[in-house]
Amino acid sequence: MNDTAIVTGGAGGMGLATARILGRDHRVVIADVNQERLDDAVAQLTKDGVDAVSARCDITSRQSVEDLFGEADADGTLRAVVHSAGVSPQMGDAGKMIAINALGTIHVTEAALALADEGFAMVNVASSAAHMAPRALISHRAYRLAFTDPARFASRLTARANLLPRNLRSGLAYALSKNFVMWYSQEMAARFGAKGARILSVSPGSFDTTMGRLEEKSGSHKLVEYAALHRYGKPEEIAEVLAFCASDRPGYLTGVDILCDGGTKAGLDLRGTLAMARGN
């Protein structure tokens, strides 16, 4: 087993489930900001026979991310990255959503690109919320600042979210940050492709994780009512999608987003969308 995979947000939920699958044929480096959670996750993975190590990493810090990648690629075998670290609306304000979900993705993706070579795969976790972001508030012009002035980009996105009433700001910031992740992954495809590498995003819907259940306070459980499957997804189900995308099997899959929402978008008509927006 020579190949290494990084899983950010790998200490719990879908990240840990993904690390368990990738660990069948990779050495896995799981990254998180909480060392205690990391220690517990490594213990679980080791018990399951996975060659796993932990790395404390703050994805809002470019240096912290570069240190993570340097350690993971110390022997030159880093082959895959699944970037699942992120926060949801109940976990902070608009600024925090943008700093972690959007800027964090830029830091991780740029570090991955620097080391990418033939056969490398990068999978960013977006969200079904990315597909529901209000079109009138999406600005690809603002998104493009991510390539030239990340600080101004973050400021612009935060300002857009703060146009709404206070109780709606973090929700909009979350949707915009994940819409950016989806857009950015597509925009970066040619740069990865020039190195024989792939990048794409996966957009999970409502999943039965700690974060997923936390967002019931935001009314996310109502999305399940519109889903074709009428239930929360299991972490192991989305992990299978993430691990497959990061493997070498879908070698022609890049520059796209894969929506895995139990059929929620398919069942959410205009009336339902308006009801969700009103919190009904």
Side-chain angles (χ1 to χ4, degrees), residues 144-218:
R144 292 193 181 280
L145 289 171
F147 295 108
T148 57
D149 192 341
R152 188 179 173 202
F153 154 76
S155 177
R156 288 277 294 275
L157 246 62
T158 302
R160 279 182 176 268
N162 286 338
L163 291 173
L164 268 62
R166 188 174 299 275
N167 64 319
L168 299 176
R169 291 174 184 174
S170 62
L172 176 59
Y174 177 77
L176 290 177
S177 69
K178 291 299 188 176
N179 184 271
F180 167 76
V181 170
M182 183 170 65
W183 175 88
Y184 181 69
S185 300
Q186 295 170 3
E187 289 291 309
M188 292 294 283
R191 302 186 189 198
F192 276 80
K195 304 179 93 173
R198 299 183 297 111
I199 180 173
L200 66 149
S201 61
V202 172
S203 288
S206 298
F207 278 82
D208 191 6
T209 62
T210 301
M211 185 183 294
R213 289 296 183 178
L214 180 64
E215 290 309 312
E216 289 184 346
K217 297 176 182 178
S218 303

Side-chain angles (χ1 to χ4, degrees), residues 7 9 12-22 24 82-84 123-128 131 200-210 212 229 231-247 249 257-263:
V7 181
M14 63 182 68
L16 180 58
T18 302
R20 187 171 285 114
I21 297 171
L22 287 174
R24 295 170 186 168
V82 174
H83 175 44
S84 69
V123 183
N124 284 319
V125 176
S127 168
S128 59
H131 295 260
L200 66 149
S201 61
V202 172
S203 288
S206 298
F207 278 82
D208 191 6
T209 62
T210 301
L229 295 181
R231 66 171 175 84
Y232 280 88
K234 301 172 184 177
E236 297 77 14
E237 292 172 325
I238 190 64
E240 288 287 357
V241 178
L242 294 169
F244 173 73
C245 290
S247 75
R249 295 189 295 279
D257 180 77
I258 297 175
L259 178 63
C260 184
D261 68 347

Side-chain angles (χ1 to χ4, degrees), residues 96-138:
K96 185 174 183 179
M97 295 300 111
I98 302 303
I100 295 177
N101 295 345
L103 281 178
T105 295
I106 295 170
H107 295 159
V108 173
T109 303
E110 289 186 346
L113 178 62
L115 296 176
D117 56 13
E118 191 74 32
F120 182 92
M122 168 95 210
V123 183
N124 284 319
V125 176
S127 168
S128 59
H131 295 260
M132 301 177 191
R135 291 189 178 184
L137 293 175
I138 294 173

